[in-house]
Amino acid sequence: MTAYIVFTRESTTDQSELDAYGQAVAKSFAGHPLKVLAAYGSQQVLEGTPPEGVVILEFPDIEAARAWYDSPAYQEVVKHRWNGSSYRVVIVQGT
């Protein structure tokens, strides 16, 4: 069943770290069956505090989503996101 990873950026603490993440993250997609559905597009906030940005990735299933997230290639890059920002990240199973 399809799964989605939703990244919600709450705040930026170091733009240079986020820039490094942004320049390198696409390379971690190689060999993984994912589709970028949304990436920092315009938002219409309906409830709550507006996030700085949202990214939604689609995978064939939760196992594929975890395989990418836990991969050595992504784990090498994600440290820049952790060092440069505060995010909420969830995997959601589709219906």
Coordinates of all heavy atoms in Angstrom, one line a residue:
M1 N 0.8 -1.2 0.0 CA 0.0 0.0 0.0 C 0.9 1.2 0.0 O 1.9 1.3 0.7 CB -0.9 0.0 1.2 CG -2.0 1.0 1.2 SD -3.2 0.8 2.5 CE -4.0 -0.7 2.0
T2 N 0.5 2.2 -0.8 CA 1.3 3.5 -0.9 C 1.6 4.1 0.4 O 0.7 4.1 1.3 CB 0.6 4.5 -1.8 OG1 0.3 3.8 -3.1 CG2 1.4 5.7 -2.1
A3 N 2.8 4.7 0.6 CA 3.1 5.4 1.8 C 3.7 6.8 1.4 O 4.3 6.9 0.3 CB 4.1 4.6 2.6
Y4 N 3.6 7.7 2.3 CA 4.1 9.0 2.1 C 5.0 9.5 3.3 O 4.6 9.2 4.4 CB 2.9 10.0 2.0 CG 2.0 9.6 0.9 CD1 0.9 8.8 1.2 CD2 2.1 10.0 -0.4 CE1 0.0 8.3 0.3 CE2 1.2 9.6 -1.4 CZ 0.2 8.7 -1.1 OH -0.7 8.3 -2.0
I5 N 6.1 10.1 3.0 CA 6.9 10.8 4.0 C 6.5 12.2 3.9 O 6.7 12.8 2.8 CB 8.4 10.5 3.9 CG1 8.7 9.0 4.1 CG2 9.1 11.3 5.0 CD1 10.2 8.7 4.1
V6 N 6.1 12.8 5.0 CA 5.8 14.3 5.0 C 6.8 15.0 5.9 O 6.9 14.6 7.1 CB 4.3 14.5 5.5 CG1 4.0 16.0 5.6 CG2 3.3 13.7 4.7
F7 N 7.5 15.9 5.3 CA 8.5 16.7 6.0 C 7.8 18.1 6.3 O 7.4 18.8 5.3 CB 9.7 16.9 5.2 CG 10.5 15.7 4.9 CD1 10.1 14.8 3.9 CD2 11.6 15.3 5.7 CE1 10.8 13.7 3.6 CE2 12.3 14.2 5.4 CZ 11.9 13.4 4.4
T8 N 7.8 18.6 7.5 CA 7.2 19.9 7.8 C 8.3 20.7 8.5 O 8.7 20.3 9.6 CB 6.0 19.8 8.7 OG1 5.0 18.9 8.1 CG2 5.4 21.1 8.9
R9 N 8.8 21.7 7.8 CA 9.9 22.5 8.5 C 9.2 23.6 9.3 O 8.5 24.4 8.9 CB 10.8 23.2 7.4 CG 12.0 23.9 8.1 CD 13.0 24.4 7.1 NE 12.5 25.4 6.2 CZ 12.8 25.6 5.0 NH1 13.6 24.8 4.3 NH2 12.2 26.6 4.3
E10 N 9.6 23.5 10.6 CA 9.0 24.4 11.6 C 9.9 25.7 11.7 O 9.3 26.8 11.8 CB 9.0 23.8 13.0 CG 8.1 22.5 13.0 CD 6.6 22.8 12.7 OE1 6.2 23.9 13.0 OE2 6.0 21.9 12.1
S11 N 11.2 25.6 11.7 CA 12.1 26.7 11.8 C 13.5 26.4 11.2 O 13.9 25.3 11.2 CB 12.2 27.2 13.2 OG 12.8 26.2 14.0
T12 N 14.1 27.5 10.8 CA 15.5 27.4 10.3 C 16.4 28.0 11.3 O 16.2 29.1 11.8 CB 15.6 28.1 8.9 OG1 14.8 27.5 8.0 CG2 17.1 28.1 8.4
T13 N 17.5 27.3 11.6 CA 18.5 27.8 12.6 C 19.9 28.1 11.9 O 20.7 28.8 12.4 CB 18.7 26.8 13.7 OG1 19.0 25.5 13.2 CG2 17.4 26.7 14.6
D14 N 20.2 27.4 10.8 CA 21.4 27.6 10.1 C 21.2 27.4 8.6 O 21.1 26.3 8.1 CB 22.5 26.6 10.6 CG 23.9 26.9 10.1 OD1 24.0 27.4 8.9 OD2 24.8 26.5 10.7
Q15 N 21.1 28.5 7.9 CA 20.7 28.4 6.4 C 21.8 27.7 5.6 O 21.5 26.9 4.7 CB 20.5 29.8 5.8 CG 20.0 29.7 4.4 CD 18.7 29.0 4.3 OE1 17.7 29.3 5.0 NE2 18.6 28.1 3.3
S16 N 23.1 27.8 6.0 CA 24.2 27.2 5.3 C 24.0 25.6 5.4 O 24.3 24.9 4.4 CB 25.5 27.6 5.7 OG 25.8 27.3 7.1
E17 N 23.6 25.1 6.5 CA 23.4 23.7 6.7 C 22.2 23.2 5.8 O 22.3 22.2 5.2 CB 23.1 23.3 8.1 CG 24.4 23.4 9.0 CD 25.3 22.2 8.8 OE1 25.0 21.2 8.1 OE2 26.4 22.2 9.4
L18 N 21.2 24.0 5.8 CA 20.0 23.7 4.9 C 20.4 23.7 3.4 O 19.9 22.9 2.7 CB 18.8 24.6 5.2 CG 17.9 24.2 6.3 CD1 16.7 25.1 6.4 CD2 17.5 22.8 6.3
D19 N 21.3 24.7 3.1 CA 21.7 24.7 1.7 C 22.5 23.5 1.3 O 22.3 22.9 0.2 CB 22.6 26.0 1.5 CG 21.8 27.3 1.5 OD1 20.5 27.2 1.5 OD2 22.4 28.3 1.7
A20 N 23.4 23.0 2.2 CA 24.1 21.8 2.0 C 23.2 20.6 1.8 O 23.4 19.8 1.0 CB 25.1 21.6 3.1
Y21 N 22.2 20.5 2.7 CA 21.2 19.5 2.6 C 20.5 19.5 1.2 O 20.4 18.5 0.5 CB 20.2 19.6 3.7 CG 19.0 18.6 3.7 CD1 19.2 17.3 4.1 CD2 17.8 19.1 3.2 CE1 18.1 16.4 4.0 CE2 16.7 18.2 3.2 CZ 16.9 16.9 3.6 OH 15.8 16.0 3.5
G22 N 20.0 20.7 0.9 CA 19.3 20.9 -0.4 C 20.1 20.5 -1.6 O 19.6 20.0 -2.6
Q23 N 21.4 20.8 -1.6 CA 22.3 20.4 -2.7 C 22.6 19.0 -2.8 O 22.9 18.5 -3.9 CB 23.6 21.2 -2.6 CG 23.4 22.7 -2.8 CD 24.7 23.5 -2.5 OE1 25.7 22.9 -2.2 NE2 24.6 24.8 -2.6
A24 N 22.4 18.2 -1.7 CA 22.9 16.8 -1.7 C 21.7 15.8 -1.7 O 21.9 14.6 -2.0 CB 23.8 16.6 -0.5
V25 N 20.6 16.2 -1.2 CA 19.5 15.2 -0.9 C 19.1 14.4 -2.1 O 18.8 13.2 -2.1 CB 18.3 15.9 -0.2 CG1 17.5 16.8 -1.1 CG2 17.4 14.8 0.4
A26 N 19.0 15.1 -3.3 CA 18.5 14.4 -4.5 C 19.4 13.2 -4.9 O 18.8 12.2 -5.4 CB 18.4 15.3 -5.7
K27 N 20.6 13.2 -4.6 CA 21.5 12.1 -4.9 C 21.1 10.9 -4.1 O 21.3 9.7 -4.5 CB 23.0 12.5 -4.6 CG 23.5 13.5 -5.5 CD 24.9 14.0 -5.1 CE 25.3 15.2 -5.9 NZ 26.5 15.8 -5.4
S28 N 20.5 11.1 -2.9 CA 20.1 9.9 -2.0 C 18.9 9.2 -2.6 O 18.6 8.1 -2.2 CB 19.8 10.4 -0.6 OG 18.6 11.1 -0.5
F29 N 18.2 9.8 -3.6 CA 17.1 9.2 -4.2 C 17.4 8.0 -5.1 O 16.6 7.2 -5.4 CB 16.2 10.2 -5.0 CG 15.6 11.3 -4.2 CD1 15.1 12.4 -4.9 CD2 15.6 11.3 -2.8 CE1 14.5 13.5 -4.2 CE2 15.1 12.4 -2.1 CZ 14.5 13.5 -2.8
A30 N 18.7 8.0 -5.6 CA 19.1 7.0 -6.6 C 18.8 5.6 -6.1 O 19.2 5.3 -5.0 CB 20.6 7.2 -6.9
G31 N 18.2 4.8 -6.9 CA 17.9 3.4 -6.6 C 16.7 3.2 -5.7 O 16.4 2.1 -5.3
H32 N 16.0 4.3 -5.4 CA 14.8 4.2 -4.5 C 13.5 4.6 -5.3 O 13.6 5.6 -6.0 CB 14.9 5.0 -3.3 CG 16.0 4.6 -2.4 ND1 15.8 3.6 -1.4 CD2 17.3 5.0 -2.3 CE1 17.0 3.4 -0.8 NE2 17.9 4.2 -1.3
P33 N 12.5 3.8 -5.2 CA 11.2 4.1 -5.9 C 10.4 5.2 -5.3 O 9.5 4.9 -4.5 CB 10.5 2.8 -5.9 CG 10.9 2.2 -4.6 CD 12.3 2.6 -4.4
L34 N 10.8 6.4 -5.5 CA 10.0 7.5 -4.8 C 9.6 8.6 -5.9 O 10.2 8.7 -6.9 CB 10.8 8.1 -3.7 CG 12.1 8.9 -4.0 CD1 11.8 10.4 -4.3 CD2 13.1 8.8 -2.9
K35 N 8.6 9.3 -5.5 CA 8.1 10.4 -6.3 C 7.9 11.6 -5.4 O 7.3 11.5 -4.4 CB 6.8 10.0 -7.0 CG 6.2 11.1 -7.9 CD 4.9 10.6 -8.5 CE 4.3 11.6 -9.4 NZ 3.0 11.1 -10.0
V36 N 8.5 12.8 -5.9 CA 8.3 14.0 -5.1 C 6.9 14.6 -5.5 O 6.7 14.9 -6.7 CB 9.4 15.0 -5.4 CG1 9.2 16.3 -4.6 CG2 10.8 14.4 -5.1
L37 N 6.0 14.6 -4.6 CA 4.7 15.2 -4.9 C 4.5 16.6 -4.6 O 3.8 17.3 -5.2 CB 3.6 14.4 -4.0 CG 3.5 12.9 -4.3 CD1 2.4 12.3 -3.4 CD2 3.2 12.6 -5.8
A38 N 5.3 17.1 -3.6 CA 5.3 18.6 -3.3 C 6.6 18.9 -2.6 O 7.2 18.1 -1.9 CB 4.1 18.9 -2.3
A39 N 7.1 20.1 -2.9 CA 8.4 20.5 -2.4 C 8.4 22.0 -2.2 O 8.6 22.8 -3.2 CB 9.6 20.1 -3.2
Y40 N 8.1 22.5 -1.0 CA 8.1 23.9 -0.7 C 7.3 24.8 -1.6 O 7.6 25.9 -1.8 CB 9.6 24.4 -0.6 CG 10.4 23.6 0.4 CD1 11.3 22.6 -0.1 CD2 10.2 23.7 1.7 CE1 12.1 21.9 0.8 CE2 10.9 22.9 2.6 CZ 11.9 22.0 2.1 OH 12.6 21.2 3.0
G41 N 6.1 24.3 -2.0 CA 5.2 25.1 -2.8 C 4.5 26.1 -2.0 O 4.6 26.1 -0.7
S42 N 3.7 26.9 -2.6 CA 2.9 27.9 -1.9 C 1.9 27.1 -1.0 O 1.4 26.0 -1.3 CB 2.2 28.9 -2.8 OG 1.3 28.2 -3.6
Q43 N 1.5 27.8 0.1 CA 0.6 27.1 1.1 C -0.6 28.0 1.3 O -0.5 29.2 1.3 CB 1.3 27.0 2.4 CG 2.6 26.2 2.4 CD 3.3 26.3 3.7 OE1 2.6 26.4 4.8 NE2 4.6 26.2 3.7
Q44 N -1.7 27.3 1.7 CA -2.9 28.0 2.2 C -3.1 27.3 3.6 O -3.6 26.2 3.6 CB -4.1 27.8 1.3 CG -4.0 28.6 0.0 CD -5.2 28.5 -0.8 OE1 -6.3 28.0 -0.4 NE2 -5.1 29.0 -2.0
V45 N -2.7 28.0 4.6 CA -2.8 27.4 6.0 C -4.3 27.5 6.4 O -4.9 28.6 6.4 CB -1.9 28.1 6.9 CG1 -2.1 27.6 8.4 CG2 -0.5 27.9 6.5
L46 N -4.9 26.4 6.7 CA -6.3 26.4 7.2 C -6.4 26.4 8.7 O -7.4 26.9 9.2 CB -7.0 25.1 6.6 CG -6.9 25.0 5.1 CD1 -7.6 23.7 4.6 CD2 -7.6 26.2 4.4
E47 N -5.4 25.8 9.4 CA -5.5 25.8 10.8 C -4.0 25.8 11.3 O -3.1 25.2 10.7 CB -6.2 24.5 11.3 CG -7.6 24.4 10.9 CD -8.3 23.2 11.5 OE1 -7.8 22.6 12.5 OE2 -9.3 22.8 10.9
G48 N -3.8 26.4 12.5 CA -2.6 26.3 13.2 C -1.5 27.3 12.6 O -1.8 28.1 11.8
T49 N -0.3 27.1 13.2 CA 0.8 28.0 12.8 C 1.4 27.6 11.5 O 1.6 26.4 11.3 CB 1.9 27.9 13.9 OG1 1.3 28.2 15.2 CG2 3.0 28.8 13.6
P50 N 1.6 28.5 10.6 CA 2.1 28.1 9.3 C 3.5 27.6 9.4 O 4.4 28.1 10.1 CB 2.2 29.4 8.5 CG 1.4 30.4 9.3 CD 1.3 29.9 10.7
P51 N 3.8 26.4 8.7 CA 5.2 25.9 8.7 C 6.0 26.8 7.7 O 5.4 27.4 6.8 CB 5.0 24.5 8.2 CG 3.8 24.5 7.4 CD 2.9 25.6 8.0
E52 N 7.3 26.7 7.8 CA 8.2 27.3 6.8 C 8.1 26.6 5.5 O 8.3 27.3 4.4 CB 9.6 27.4 7.3 CG 9.9 28.3 8.4 CD 11.4 28.4 8.7 OE1 12.2 27.8 8.1 OE2 11.7 29.2 9.6
G53 N 7.9 25.3 5.5 CA 7.8 24.6 4.2 C 7.4 23.2 4.4 O 7.5 22.6 5.6
V54 N 6.9 22.6 3.4 CA 6.4 21.2 3.4 C 6.9 20.4 2.2 O 6.9 21.0 1.1 CB 4.9 21.1 3.4 CG1 4.4 19.7 3.4 CG2 4.3 21.9 4.6
V55 N 7.3 19.2 2.4 CA 7.7 18.3 1.3 C 7.0 17.0 1.5 O 6.9 16.5 2.6 CB 9.3 18.0 1.3 CG1 9.6 16.9 0.3 CG2 10.0 19.3 1.1
I56 N 6.4 16.4 0.4 CA 5.7 15.1 0.5 C 6.4 14.2 -0.6 O 6.4 14.6 -1.8 CB 4.2 15.3 0.2 CG1 3.6 16.3 1.2 CG2 3.5 13.9 0.2 CD1 2.2 16.7 0.9
L57 N 6.8 13.1 -0.1 CA 7.4 12.0 -1.0 C 6.5 10.8 -1.0 O 6.0 10.4 0.1 CB 8.8 11.6 -0.5 CG 9.8 12.7 -0.3 CD1 11.2 12.1 0.2 CD2 10.1 13.5 -1.6
E58 N 6.3 10.2 -2.1 CA 5.5 9.0 -2.3 C 6.3 7.8 -2.5 O 7.3 7.9 -3.3 CB 4.5 9.2 -3.5 CG 3.6 8.0 -3.7 CD 2.7 8.2 -4.9 OE1 3.3 8.2 -6.0 OE2 1.5 8.4 -4.7
F59 N 6.0 6.7 -1.9 CA 6.7 5.4 -2.0 C 5.7 4.3 -2.2 O 4.5 4.5 -1.8 CB 7.5 5.1 -0.7 CG 8.6 6.1 -0.4 CD1 8.4 7.3 0.2 CD2 9.9 5.8 -0.8 CE1 9.4 8.2 0.5 CE2 10.9 6.7 -0.6 CZ 10.7 7.9 0.1
P60 N 6.1 3.2 -2.8 CA 5.1 2.1 -3.0 C 4.6 1.5 -1.7 O 3.5 1.0 -1.7 CB 5.9 1.1 -3.8 CG 7.3 1.6 -4.0 CD 7.4 2.9 -3.4
D61 N 5.4 1.6 -0.6 CA 4.9 1.0 0.6 C 5.8 1.6 1.8 O 6.8 2.3 1.5 CB 4.9 -0.5 0.6 CG 6.2 -1.1 0.2 OD1 7.3 -0.6 0.6 OD2 6.2 -2.1 -0.5
I62 N 5.4 1.3 3.0 CA 6.2 1.8 4.2 C 7.6 1.2 4.2 O 8.5 2.0 4.5 CB 5.4 1.5 5.5 CG1 4.2 2.4 5.6 CG2 6.4 1.6 6.7 CD1 3.3 2.1 6.8
E63 N 7.8 0.0 3.7 CA 9.1 -0.6 3.7 C 10.0 0.2 2.8 O 11.2 0.4 3.1 CB 9.0 -2.1 3.4 CG 8.4 -2.9 4.4 CD 6.8 -2.8 4.4 OE1 6.2 -2.3 3.5 OE2 6.2 -3.3 5.4
A64 N 9.5 0.6 1.6 CA 10.3 1.4 0.7 C 10.7 2.7 1.3 O 11.8 3.2 1.1 CB 9.6 1.5 -0.7
A65 N 9.7 3.3 1.9 CA 9.9 4.6 2.6 C 11.0 4.5 3.6 O 12.0 5.3 3.7 CB 8.7 5.2 3.2
R66 N 11.0 3.5 4.5 CA 12.0 3.3 5.5 C 13.3 3.0 4.9 O 14.4 3.4 5.4 CB 11.6 2.2 6.5 CG 10.5 2.6 7.5 CD 10.8 3.8 8.3 NE 12.0 3.8 9.0 CZ 12.1 3.7 10.4 NH1 11.0 3.6 11.1 NH2 13.3 3.7 11.0
A67 N 13.3 2.2 3.8 CA 14.6 1.8 3.2 C 15.3 3.1 2.7 O 16.5 3.2 2.8 CB 14.3 0.9 2.0
W68 N 14.6 4.0 2.1 CA 15.2 5.3 1.7 C 15.7 6.1 2.9 O 16.8 6.5 3.0 CB 14.3 6.1 0.8 CG 14.9 7.5 0.6 CD1 16.0 7.8 -0.2 CD2 14.5 8.7 1.3 NE1 16.3 9.1 0.0 CE2 15.4 9.7 0.8 CE3 13.5 9.0 2.2 CZ2 15.3 11.0 1.3 CZ3 13.4 10.3 2.7 CH2 14.3 11.3 2.2
Y69 N 14.8 6.3 3.9 CA 15.1 7.1 5.0 C 16.3 6.6 5.8 O 17.1 7.3 6.2 CB 13.9 7.3 5.9 CG 14.1 8.2 7.1 CD1 13.9 9.6 6.9 CD2 14.6 7.8 8.3 CE1 14.2 10.5 7.9 CE2 14.9 8.7 9.3 CZ 14.7 10.0 9.1 OH 14.9 10.9 10.1
D70 N 16.3 5.3 6.0 CA 17.4 4.6 6.8 C 18.6 4.3 5.9 O 19.6 3.9 6.5 CB 16.9 3.3 7.4 CG 15.8 3.5 8.4 OD1 15.7 4.6 9.0 OD2 14.9 2.6 8.5
S71 N 18.6 4.6 4.6 CA 19.8 4.3 3.8 C 21.0 5.1 4.2 O 20.9 6.2 4.7 CB 19.4 4.6 2.3 OG 19.3 6.0 2.1
P72 N 22.2 4.5 4.0 CA 23.4 5.2 4.3 C 23.5 6.6 3.5 O 24.0 7.6 4.1 CB 24.5 4.3 3.8 CG 23.9 2.9 4.0 CD 22.4 3.1 3.6
A73 N 23.0 6.6 2.3 CA 23.1 7.8 1.5 C 22.3 8.9 2.1 O 22.8 10.1 2.2 CB 22.6 7.6 0.0
Y74 N 21.1 8.6 2.5 CA 20.3 9.7 3.2 C 20.8 10.0 4.6 O 20.8 11.2 4.9 CB 18.8 9.3 3.2 CG 18.0 10.5 3.8 CD1 17.9 11.7 3.0 CD2 17.4 10.4 5.0 CE1 17.2 12.8 3.5 CE2 16.7 11.5 5.5 CZ 16.6 12.7 4.8 OH 15.9 13.8 5.3
Q75 N 21.2 9.1 5.3 CA 21.7 9.3 6.7 C 23.0 10.2 6.6 O 23.2 11.0 7.6 CB 21.9 8.0 7.4 CG 20.6 7.3 7.8 CD 19.7 8.2 8.6 OE1 20.1 8.7 9.7 NE2 18.5 8.4 8.2
E76 N 23.7 10.1 5.6 CA 24.9 11.0 5.4 C 24.5 12.4 5.2 O 25.1 13.4 5.7 CB 25.8 10.5 4.3 CG 27.0 11.4 4.0 CD 28.0 11.4 5.2 OE1 28.0 10.4 5.9 OE2 28.7 12.4 5.3
V77 N 23.4 12.6 4.5 CA 22.9 14.0 4.1 C 22.0 14.6 5.2 O 22.1 15.8 5.5 CB 22.1 13.9 2.8 CG1 21.4 15.2 2.5 CG2 23.0 13.5 1.7
V78 N 21.2 13.8 5.9 CA 20.2 14.3 6.8 C 20.8 15.1 8.0 O 20.2 15.9 8.6 CB 19.3 13.2 7.3 CG1 20.0 12.3 8.3 CG2 18.0 13.8 7.9
K79 N 22.1 14.8 8.3 CA 22.7 15.5 9.4 C 22.7 17.0 9.1 O 22.6 17.8 10.1 CB 24.1 15.0 9.6 CG 25.1 15.2 8.5 CD 26.4 14.5 8.7 CE 27.3 14.7 7.5 NZ 28.5 14.0 7.6
H80 N 22.8 17.4 7.9 CA 22.7 18.9 7.6 C 21.4 19.4 7.9 O 21.3 20.6 8.4 CB 23.1 19.1 6.1 CG 24.5 18.7 5.8 ND1 25.6 19.4 6.3 CD2 25.0 17.7 5.0 CE1 26.7 18.8 5.8 NE2 26.3 17.8 5.0
R81 N 20.3 18.7 7.6 CA 19.0 19.2 8.0 C 18.8 19.3 9.5 O 18.3 20.2 10.0 CB 17.9 18.2 7.4 CG 16.5 18.7 7.6 CD 15.4 17.9 6.9 NE 15.4 16.5 7.2 CZ 14.9 15.9 8.3 NH1 14.4 16.6 9.2 NH2 15.0 14.6 8.4
W82 N 19.3 18.2 10.2 CA 19.2 18.3 11.6 C 20.0 19.5 12.2 O 19.5 20.1 13.2 CB 19.8 17.0 12.2 CG 19.0 15.8 11.9 CD1 17.6 15.7 11.6 CD2 19.4 14.4 11.9 NE1 17.3 14.4 11.4 CE2 18.3 13.6 11.6 CE3 20.7 13.8 12.1 CZ2 18.4 12.2 11.5 CZ3 20.8 12.5 12.0 CH2 19.7 11.7 11.7
N83 N 21.1 19.8 11.6 CA 22.0 20.9 12.1 C 21.4 22.2 11.8 O 21.9 23.2 12.4 CB 23.4 20.7 11.6 CG 24.1 19.6 12.3 OD1 23.8 19.1 13.4 ND2 25.1 19.0 11.6
G84 N 20.6 22.3 10.8 CA 20.1 23.6 10.3 C 18.7 24.0 10.5 O 18.3 25.1 10.1
S85 N 17.9 23.0 11.1 CA 16.5 23.3 11.2 C 15.8 22.4 12.2 O 16.4 21.5 12.7 CB 15.9 23.1 9.8 OG 16.1 21.8 9.4
S86 N 14.5 22.8 12.4 CA 13.6 21.9 13.2 C 12.5 21.5 12.3 O 11.8 22.3 11.7 CB 13.1 22.7 14.4 OG 12.1 22.0 15.1
Y87 N 12.3 20.2 12.1 CA 11.3 19.6 11.3 C 10.5 18.6 12.1 O 10.9 18.0 13.1 CB 12.0 18.7 10.2 CG 12.3 19.4 8.9 CD1 13.4 20.3 8.8 CD2 11.6 19.2 7.8 CE1 13.8 20.9 7.6 CE2 11.9 19.8 6.6 CZ 13.0 20.7 6.5 OH 13.4 21.3 5.3
R88 N 9.3 18.3 11.6 CA 8.5 17.1 12.0 C 8.5 16.3 10.7 O 8.3 16.8 9.6 CB 7.1 17.5 12.4 CG 7.0 18.0 13.8 CD 5.6 18.3 14.2 NE 5.2 19.5 13.5 CZ 3.9 19.7 13.0 NH1 3.0 18.8 13.2 NH2 3.6 20.8 12.4
V89 N 8.7 15.0 10.9 CA 8.8 14.1 9.7 C 7.9 12.8 10.1 O 8.2 12.2 11.2 CB 10.2 13.6 9.4 CG1 10.2 12.7 8.2 CG2 11.1 14.9 9.1
V90 N 7.0 12.5 9.3 CA 6.2 11.3 9.5 C 6.0 10.5 8.3 O 6.1 11.0 7.2 CB 4.7 11.7 10.1 CG1 4.8 12.4 11.4 CG2 4.0 12.5 9.1
I91 N 5.8 9.2 8.5 CA 5.4 8.3 7.4 C 3.9 8.0 7.6 O 3.5 7.7 8.7 CB 6.2 7.0 7.4 CG1 7.7 7.2 7.1 CG2 5.6 6.1 6.3 CD1 8.5 6.0 7.2
V92 N 3.2 8.2 6.5 CA 1.7 8.0 6.5 C 1.4 7.0 5.5 O 1.8 7.1 4.3 CB 0.9 9.3 6.2 CG1 -0.6 9.1 6.2 CG2 1.3 10.4 7.2
Q93 N 0.7 5.9 5.9 CA 0.2 4.9 4.9 C -1.0 5.4 4.2 O -1.9 5.9 4.8 CB -0.1 3.6 5.7 CG -0.4 2.5 4.7 CD -0.4 1.1 5.5 OE1 0.1 1.0 6.6 NE2 -1.0 0.1 4.8
G94 N -1.0 5.2 2.9 CA -2.2 5.6 2.1 C -3.3 4.6 2.3 O -3.2 3.6 2.9
T95 N -4.4 5.0 1.6 CA -5.6 4.1 1.7 C -5.8 3.3 0.5 O -5.3 3.6 -0.6 CB -6.9 4.9 2.0 OG1 -7.0 5.9 1.0 CG2 -6.8 5.6 3.3

